[in-house]
Amino acid sequence: MNDLRIKDLSAHVGEEVTLLGWVYNKRSSGKIKFLILRDGTGYLQCVFFKGNLDEATFNEAGAVGQESTVEVTGAVKKEPRAPGGYELDAKGLKVTHATEDYPITPKEHGPDFLLDKRHLWVRSSRQVAILKVRHRIVKAIRDFFDERDFSLFDPPILTPAACEGTSTLFETPYFDLGNAYLTQSGQLYAEAGALALGKVYTFGPTFRAEKSKTRRHLTEFWMVEPEMAFADLNDDMDLAEEFLEYVVQTVLKDCAEELRTLERDTAKLKNVERPLPRISYDEAVEILKKKGSDFTWGDDFGGADETLISEEFDKPVMVHRYPAAIKAFYMKRDPENEKLALAVDVLAPEGYGEIIGGSQREDDYDTLLGRIKEHKLPVEAFEWYLDLRRYGSAPHSGFGLGLERTVSWICGLDHVRETIPFPRMIYRNTP
Ligand code: 4AD
Ligand code: MG
């Protein structure tokens, strides 16, 4: 196997090397033909001079189709003007798979066409950059929790009941046991984990049969959910702000080139440092009123409301203590005001909306049982969850961060559909 890759060329200046990859682009000017080679680690300008080559090689460099698979041999040169800083003075070209009529060309294509061709679209430089940032974010998330003594705790994906409301459940027949549901959140299981291991996190795919066709909604998305025993809402917010600072600063440090490819204005990301502003739902409603909105206390914020609120801040803002009536059954009420839930949502700046939802959990058996009944949830399916309040109950808190919304915000994208290799939306489940 030839494992020399474009990203490693700086150590091979002056040497003759052979690289394997694909033709990303090409152009020619008289006696010179340029091939841009891509191999997943970078882009390399390969220069074919007519004077240095036999005619067949020179002609082949002009004829080879976009996305053909090739082996290029030549001498590595430092060239500050070339993408990546190096170029190849090409001596040989072997086409190992000739591609003709590659459907995605450098011209503009519509989003539907590109989504139909997603299996090829992921080869484009923009998509490669986004997927590398996604990978770096995933690793930063894992490192953050691993370094702080959180244990990874994997929840099931097929579950017997709803976690985040019954209106967005995907249902599937389950042998003789009736129906199972694709998980909306690993949280309820993470709570069992926190009472066993102290601090845990779940990280995996979650599902919502969302009827929403917005730029923030997928039907399958990834969520990371930390959960901590002996932690209240303030501890939860402390964790959330330290976590966001870590993730954003890590990406700024390690993905500068990708963010450049994406033309991301990084000045706005540099601001993501502790402390993050904390305002109550009441204060958020005041902001909306001040801005002329006719929002009524007690409603949930829509995307447009979230944008208006976050415009007041140059970093993510934590909004806490929502009306309990619009929040999930498991949230603990504020002892100072029973109408409020000890909940927090983090709204990203620049109109990206809610990226984190979290809360302190109800830890009292009778109160929780009452809530399950009020929400008309099947008590039987929650017996195991109630056990967590029968045996060794403790105050505990956690949150969920949506990976795709976070990638979309950090990369500065228009839509979450570009943040995951194969997006699933209400109107799309292919390829
Ligand atoms: O606010 P949500 O519904 O919270 C929960 O699921 C809690 N159980 C989390 C917890 O406390 N452990 O979802 C959390 C986050 C949202 O803030 C958002 O970033 C993301 O998940 N999210 C979605 N992302 C993409 N598409 C969707 N349809 C999403 N729904 C939620
Ligand atoms: Mg939420």
Side-chain angles (χ1 to χ4, degrees):
M1 183 181 151
N2 178 345
D3 51 12
L4 179 66
R5 313 207 60 195
I6 292 172
K7 73 171 173 45
D8 301 321
L9 286 181
S10 60
H12 296 272
V13 175
E15 287 173 33
E16 184 163 303
V17 300
T18 296
L19 289 154
L20 310 184
W22 297 269
V23 175
Y24 191 63
N25 209 342
K26 60 175 190 186
R27 65 195 160 84
S28 71
S29 75
K31 295 190 169 62
I32 309 179
K33 298 207 186 294
F34 298 95
L35 284 193
I36 306 294
L37 183 75
R38 67 165 188 89
D39 72 352
T41 73
Y43 299 85
L44 178 67
Q45 174 162 288
C46 306
V47 186
F48 293 80
F49 280 109
K50 190 168 187 172
N52 291 348
L53 300 164
D54 61 74
E55 204 176 316
T57 304
F58 185 74
N59 289 341
E60 180 124 77
V64 64
Q66 188 192 341
E67 283 305 313
S68 290
T69 317
V70 293
E71 283 180 34
V72 191
T73 303
V76 181
K77 278 175 42 184
K78 212 173 156 74
E79 174 49 74
R81 285 167 302 174
Y86 298 90
E87 69 176 24
L88 201 73
D89 186 4
K91 300 275 155 28
L93 172 68
K94 188 166 147 197
V95 180
T96 55
H97 181 262
T99 293
E100 280 168 37
D101 302 325
Y102 185 67
I104 303 177
T105 58
K107 70 162 203 213
E108 286 277 315
H109 296 283
D112 281 328
F113 175 82
L114 290 171
L115 285 165
D116 285 342
K117 296 274 182 274
R118 183 63 175 164
H119 48 291
L120 302 176
W121 190 24
V122 289
R123 300 181 187 187
S124 303
S125 59
R126 238 183 94 76
Q127 302 306 313
V128 167
I130 294 167
L131 294 172
K132 287 197 170 174
V133 172
R134 176 185 170 105
H135 173 225
R136 190 64 193 88
I137 291 175
V138 168
K139 180 166 156 42
I141 288 171
R142 291 194 182 284
D143 289 345
F144 178 86
F145 291 115
D146 294 348
E147 284 162 14
R148 285 161 185 76
D149 290 326
F150 284 74
S151 298
L152 181 66
F153 190 80
D154 296 317
I157 285 183
L158 290 166
T159 63
C163 173
E164 295 296 325
T166 47
S167 64
T168 63
L169 277 177
F170 278 112
E171 203 173 279
T172 176
Y174 198 82
F175 306 106
D176 296 335
L177 301 180
N179 285 328
Y181 307 97
L182 296 184
T183 188
Q184 298 166 306
S185 154
Q187 179 199 317
L188 306 187
Y189 297 96
E191 290 182 52
L195 299 185
L197 295 148
K199 292 196 276 184
V200 297
Y201 67 102
T202 68
F203 195 1
T206 49
F207 305 85
R208 306 268 169 107
E210 294 271 10
K211 304 252 157 48
S212 323
K213 288 190 200 174
T214 79
R215 59 200 198 92
R216 300 172 181 177
H217 286 93
L218 295 168
T219 54
E220 176 178 325
F221 62 98
W222 282 59
M223 198 178 352
V224 57
E225 298 181 85
E227 190 73 28
M228 305 175 284
F230 306 110
D232 63 13
L233 181 65
N234 276 333
D235 300 319
D236 210 26
M237 292 197 275
D238 290 347
L239 183 74
E241 67 178 3
E242 187 184 358
F243 173 57
L244 284 177
E245 174 186 272
Y246 180 87
V247 170
V248 171
Q249 296 303 327
T250 301
V251 173
L252 281 172
K253 180 162 62 71
D254 291 353
C255 299
E257 196 180 315
E258 285 77 15
L259 295 175
R260 232 178 350 262
T261 301
L262 298 168
E263 296 172 2
R264 180 66 167 112
D265 176 0
T266 51
K268 299 202 164 106
L269 296 173
K270 291 200 177 102
N271 280 340
V272 184
E273 283 181 334
R274 283 174 285 172
L276 299 184
R278 299 179 186 195
I279 62 171
S280 65
Y281 171 91
D282 289 2
E283 288 167 316
V285 173
E286 281 312 305
I287 290 175
L288 291 177
K289 295 229 162 108
K290 209 174 64 199
K291 294 190 148 185
S293 154
D294 56 3
F295 186 87
T296 25
W297 195 99
D299 287 350
D300 205 356
F301 300 130
D305 304 313
E306 289 177 352
T307 302
L308 281 176
I309 297 162
S310 62
E311 270 169 11
E312 292 291 288
F313 306 92
D314 60 359
K315 36 172 122 172
V317 54
M318 307 206 235
V319 183
H320 56 83
R321 293 181 171 78
Y322 283 71
I326 54 166
K327 287 291 185 186
F329 75 96
Y330 53 71
M331 293 185 181
K332 195 174 178 65
R333 300 288 169 99
D334 185 352
E336 316 258 296
N337 180 349
E338 271 291 302
K339 280 207 175 80
L340 302 179
L342 292 175
V344 59
D345 278 3
V346 182
L347 311 181
E350 303 172 73
Y352 283 94
E354 179 197 332
I355 47 170
I356 284 183
S359 67
Q360 184 168 341
R361 323 304 188 186
E362 182 50 70
D363 51 9
D364 176 70
Y365 175 85
D366 292 319
T367 314
L368 184 62
L369 179 62
R371 301 265 186 267
I372 290 172
K373 289 180 178 162
E374 269 167 40
H375 283 254
K376 301 200 167 55
L377 293 167
V379 176
E380 246 166 75
F382 289 93
E383 279 302 336
W384 70 269
Y385 186 63
L386 285 160
D387 263 358
L388 306 178
R389 282 74 180 167
R390 283 191 188 101
Y391 309 111
S393 188
H396 61 286
S397 300
F399 62 78
L401 168 111
L403 178 63
E404 288 73 18
R405 287 192 191 172
T406 305
V407 176
S408 184
W409 162 49
I410 292 179
C411 290
L413 308 180
D414 292 336
H415 198 296
V416 286
R417 66 189 166 211
E418 287 182 77
T419 64
I420 184 165
F422 294 95
R424 295 291 174 252
M425 292 166 284
I426 181 168
Y427 47 86
R428 177 174 293 278
N429 61 3
T430 55

Coordinates of all heavy atoms in Angstrom, one line a residue, residues 272-307:
V272 N -16.9 33.0 22.1 CA -17.5 31.9 22.9 C -16.6 31.5 24.1 O -15.9 30.5 24.0 CB -18.0 30.7 22.0 CG1 -18.7 29.7 22.9 CG2 -18.8 31.2 20.9
E273 N -16.6 32.3 25.1 CA -15.8 32.1 26.3 C -16.7 32.3 27.5 O -17.6 33.1 27.5 CB -14.7 33.1 26.3 CG -13.6 32.7 25.4 CD -12.4 33.8 25.4 OE1 -12.7 34.9 25.7 OE2 -11.3 33.3 25.1
R274 N -16.4 31.6 28.6 CA -17.1 31.8 29.8 C -16.9 33.2 30.4 O -15.8 33.8 30.2 CB -16.7 30.8 30.9 CG -17.2 29.5 30.7 CD -16.6 28.5 31.6 NE -15.3 28.1 31.3 CZ -14.5 27.4 32.1 NH1 -14.9 27.0 33.2 NH2 -13.3 27.1 31.7
P275 N -17.8 33.8 31.1 CA -19.1 33.3 31.4 C -20.1 33.6 30.2 O -19.9 34.6 29.5 CB -19.6 34.1 32.6 CG -18.9 35.4 32.5 CD -17.5 35.1 31.8
L276 N -21.0 32.7 30.0 CA -22.1 33.0 29.0 C -23.2 33.7 29.7 O -23.5 33.4 30.9 CB -22.6 31.7 28.4 CG -21.6 30.9 27.6 CD1 -22.3 29.7 27.0 CD2 -20.9 31.7 26.5
P277 N -23.9 34.6 29.1 CA -25.1 35.3 29.8 C -26.1 34.3 30.2 O -26.4 33.4 29.4 CB -25.6 36.3 28.7 CG -25.0 35.9 27.4 CD -23.7 35.1 27.7
R278 N -26.8 34.6 31.3 CA -27.9 33.7 31.8 C -29.1 34.7 32.0 O -29.0 35.6 32.8 CB -27.5 33.1 33.1 CG -26.3 32.1 33.0 CD -26.0 31.5 34.3 NE -24.7 30.7 34.1 CZ -24.3 29.8 34.9 NH1 -24.9 29.5 36.1 NH2 -23.1 29.2 34.7
I279 N -30.2 34.4 31.4 CA -31.4 35.2 31.6 C -32.5 34.2 31.8 O -32.5 33.1 31.4 CB -31.7 36.1 30.4 CG1 -32.0 35.3 29.1 CG2 -30.6 37.1 30.2 CD1 -32.5 36.2 28.0
S280 N -33.5 34.7 32.6 CA -34.7 33.9 32.8 C -35.6 34.0 31.6 O -35.5 34.9 30.8 CB -35.4 34.4 34.1 OG -35.9 35.7 33.8
Y281 N -36.6 33.1 31.5 CA -37.6 33.1 30.5 C -38.3 34.5 30.6 O -38.6 35.1 29.5 CB -38.6 32.0 30.7 CG -39.8 32.0 29.9 CD1 -39.9 31.4 28.6 CD2 -41.0 32.6 30.3 CE1 -41.0 31.4 27.8 CE2 -42.1 32.6 29.6 CZ -42.2 32.0 28.3 OH -43.3 32.0 27.6
D282 N -38.6 34.9 31.8 CA -39.3 36.2 32.0 C -38.5 37.3 31.3 O -39.1 38.2 30.6 CB -39.5 36.5 33.4 CG -40.5 35.6 34.1 OD1 -41.1 34.8 33.4 OD2 -40.8 35.8 35.3
E283 N -37.2 37.3 31.6 CA -36.4 38.4 31.0 C -36.3 38.3 29.4 O -36.3 39.3 28.7 CB -34.9 38.3 31.5 CG -34.9 38.8 33.0 CD -33.5 38.4 33.7 OE1 -33.1 37.3 33.5 OE2 -33.0 39.3 34.4
A284 N -36.3 37.0 28.9 CA -36.3 36.8 27.5 C -37.6 37.4 26.9 O -37.6 38.0 25.8 CB -36.2 35.4 27.1
V285 N -38.7 37.2 27.6 CA -40.0 37.7 27.1 C -40.0 39.2 27.1 O -40.5 39.9 26.2 CB -41.2 37.2 28.0 CG1 -42.5 37.9 27.6 CG2 -41.3 35.7 27.9
E286 N -39.4 39.8 28.1 CA -39.2 41.3 28.2 C -38.4 41.8 26.9 O -38.8 42.8 26.3 CB -38.4 41.7 29.4 CG -39.3 41.7 30.7 CD -40.6 42.5 30.5 OE1 -40.5 43.7 30.0 OE2 -41.7 41.9 30.7
I287 N -37.4 41.1 26.6 CA -36.6 41.5 25.4 C -37.5 41.5 24.1 O -37.5 42.4 23.4 CB -35.4 40.5 25.2 CG1 -34.4 40.7 26.3 CG2 -34.8 40.7 23.8 CD1 -33.2 39.7 26.2
L288 N -38.3 40.4 24.0 CA -39.2 40.3 22.8 C -40.2 41.5 22.8 O -40.4 42.1 21.8 CB -40.0 39.0 22.9 CG -39.1 37.7 22.6 CD1 -40.0 36.5 22.7 CD2 -38.5 37.8 21.2
K289 N -40.8 41.8 24.0 CA -41.7 42.9 24.1 C -41.1 44.2 23.7 O -41.6 45.0 23.0 CB -42.3 43.0 25.5 CG -43.1 41.7 25.8 CD -44.5 42.1 26.4 CE -45.4 40.9 26.3 NZ -45.7 40.4 27.7
K290 N -39.9 44.4 24.3 CA -39.1 45.7 24.0 C -38.9 45.8 22.5 O -38.8 46.9 22.0 CB -37.8 45.6 24.7 CG -37.2 46.9 25.2 CD -36.0 46.8 26.0 CE -34.8 46.1 25.2 NZ -33.8 45.5 26.0
K291 N -38.7 44.7 21.8 CA -38.5 44.7 20.4 C -39.8 44.8 19.6 O -39.7 44.6 18.3 CB -37.6 43.5 20.0 CG -36.2 43.6 20.6 CD -35.4 42.5 19.9 CE -33.9 43.0 19.9 NZ -33.1 42.1 19.2
G292 N -40.9 44.9 20.2 CA -42.2 45.1 19.5 C -42.9 43.8 19.2 O -43.9 43.8 18.4
S293 N -42.5 42.7 19.7 CA -43.1 41.4 19.4 C -44.4 41.3 20.2 O -44.5 41.9 21.3 CB -42.2 40.3 19.8 OG -42.9 39.1 20.1
D294 N -45.4 40.6 19.7 CA -46.7 40.4 20.5 C -46.7 39.1 21.2 O -47.8 38.5 21.5 CB -47.9 40.6 19.5 CG -47.9 39.6 18.4 OD1 -46.9 38.8 18.3 OD2 -48.8 39.7 17.5
F295 N -45.6 38.6 21.5 CA -45.4 37.3 22.2 C -46.2 37.3 23.5 O -46.1 38.3 24.3 CB -43.9 37.1 22.5 CG -43.6 35.7 23.0 CD1 -43.4 34.7 22.2 CD2 -43.5 35.6 24.4 CE1 -43.1 33.4 22.7 CE2 -43.2 34.3 25.0 CZ -43.0 33.2 24.1
T296 N -46.9 36.2 23.8 CA -47.5 36.1 25.1 C -46.8 35.2 26.1 O -46.4 34.1 25.7 CB -49.0 35.6 25.0 OG1 -49.1 34.9 23.8 CG2 -50.0 36.8 25.0
W297 N -46.7 35.6 27.3 CA -46.1 34.8 28.4 C -46.8 33.5 28.4 O -48.0 33.4 28.4 CB -46.2 35.5 29.7 CG -45.3 34.9 30.8 CD1 -44.1 35.4 31.1 CD2 -45.5 33.7 31.5 NE1 -43.5 34.6 32.1 CE2 -44.4 33.6 32.3 CE3 -46.5 32.8 31.6 CZ2 -44.2 32.5 33.2 CZ3 -46.4 31.7 32.5 CH2 -45.2 31.6 33.3
G298 N -46.0 32.4 28.5 CA -46.5 31.1 28.5 C -46.4 30.3 27.2 O -46.4 29.1 27.2
D299 N -46.2 31.0 26.1 CA -45.9 30.3 24.9 C -44.5 29.9 24.8 O -43.6 30.4 25.5 CB -46.2 31.3 23.7 CG -47.7 31.5 23.4 OD1 -48.5 30.8 24.1 OD2 -48.0 32.4 22.7
D300 N -44.2 28.9 23.9 CA -42.8 28.5 23.6 C -42.2 29.4 22.6 O -43.0 30.0 21.8 CB -42.8 27.1 23.2 CG -41.5 26.4 23.5 OD1 -40.6 27.1 24.0 OD2 -41.4 25.2 23.2
F301 N -40.9 29.6 22.6 CA -40.3 30.5 21.6 C -40.2 29.7 20.3 O -39.9 28.6 20.3 CB -38.9 30.8 22.1 CG -38.8 31.6 23.4 CD1 -38.0 31.2 24.4 CD2 -39.6 32.7 23.6 CE1 -37.9 31.9 25.6 CE2 -39.6 33.4 24.8 CZ -38.7 33.0 25.8
G302 N -40.6 30.4 19.2 CA -40.4 29.9 17.9 C -39.0 30.3 17.4 O -38.3 31.1 18.1
G303 N -38.6 29.8 16.2 CA -37.3 30.1 15.7 C -37.1 31.6 15.6 O -36.0 32.1 15.9
A304 N -38.1 32.4 15.2 CA -38.0 33.8 15.0 C -37.8 34.5 16.3 O -37.0 35.5 16.5 CB -39.2 34.4 14.3
D305 N -38.5 34.0 17.4 CA -38.3 34.6 18.7 C -36.9 34.4 19.2 O -36.2 35.3 19.8 CB -39.3 34.0 19.7 CG -40.7 34.1 19.3 OD1 -41.1 35.2 18.9 OD2 -41.5 33.1 19.3
E306 N -36.4 33.1 19.0 CA -35.0 32.8 19.5 C -34.0 33.7 18.8 O -33.1 34.2 19.5 CB -34.7 31.4 19.1 CG -35.5 30.4 20.0 CD -35.2 28.9 19.7 OE1 -34.6 28.6 18.7 OE2 -35.7 28.1 20.4
T307 N -34.2 34.0 17.5 CA -33.3 34.9 16.8 C -33.3 36.3 17.4 O -32.3 36.9 17.7 CB -33.6 35.0 15.3 OG1 -33.6 33.6 14.8 CG2 -32.7 35.8 14.6

